[in-house]
Amino acid sequence: MEIKRPLLLISNDDGYAAKGICELVEMVSAYGDIIVCAPESARSGFSCAFSATVPLRLQLHEKREGVEIWSCNGTPVDCVKIALAELCPRRPDMVIGGINHGDNASVNVHYSGTMGVTIEGCMKYIPSLAFSLCDHDEDADFKPLRPYIQTITKKVLADGLPQGVCLNVNFPKVPAYQGVKICRMAKGTWDNEVTQCHHPRGYDYWWMVGRYTNDEPDAEDTDNWALSHGYIAITPTQIDVTAYQALDLIKSWCL
């Protein structure tokens, strides 16, 4: 009887041709067959958005032994949904988002299309993880990440993850890593998020930019602290967003 290799579904929010996702495919290709379905161009900040009113298109870019690379005109979550419905010959053994150009630590997890990929896989009860590097350069150096990505991928393939839990893995830009920290999401805020500009043709327009502030810079158990001190940050992230500690308080309102 033929033993099938694991099936890995990979996507991102930087686009199917981004260096990060191309190198990720090469790093994990030894561990299973791979289907890439990623946006046709950058879709950063799309979080868990999906296209309810826009028709989707697929385009096959490459097909070789054990690897298929597709693009979709939709969001990162669209890519996962359509790949599961139309491209995967069987249920994937893992969904991977990344490698993202830029970190997805702290509250960025709520905005990230790369984490949208991972959360979507997790909501489908598929072991899912995301890899991100704190470097927005389109030619960023991903080679130092290889042994860690391979080790984490193999471990999750072998042991799985708790139901409703996915992994958010962030790498500092400087590759002289101090080690790995399993940590929580830091509390942080974005401000000055909109910059107004004036066009020469006479109208105003705005860019979404902003500045991030770590609101607990001395908390050594957070992902921000780990990354700023040269550690790889692994944050278990859960789908259930119920504030259990507030249930009794709200019940006491006697509504």
Side-chain angles (χ1 to χ4, degrees), residues 46-85:
F46 272 69
S47 186
C48 292
F50 65 94
S51 301
T53 60
V54 178
L56 300 178
R57 301 184 305 274
L58 284 169
Q59 182 175 353
L60 177 63
H61 296 272
E62 183 177 351
K63 185 173 183 179
R64 62 181 190 269
E65 183 66 31
V67 177
E68 292 184 15
I69 299 175
W70 296 78
S71 68
C72 172
N73 63 309
T75 70
V77 166
D78 287 334
C79 293
V80 176
K81 289 181 179 293
I82 199 169
L84 292 174

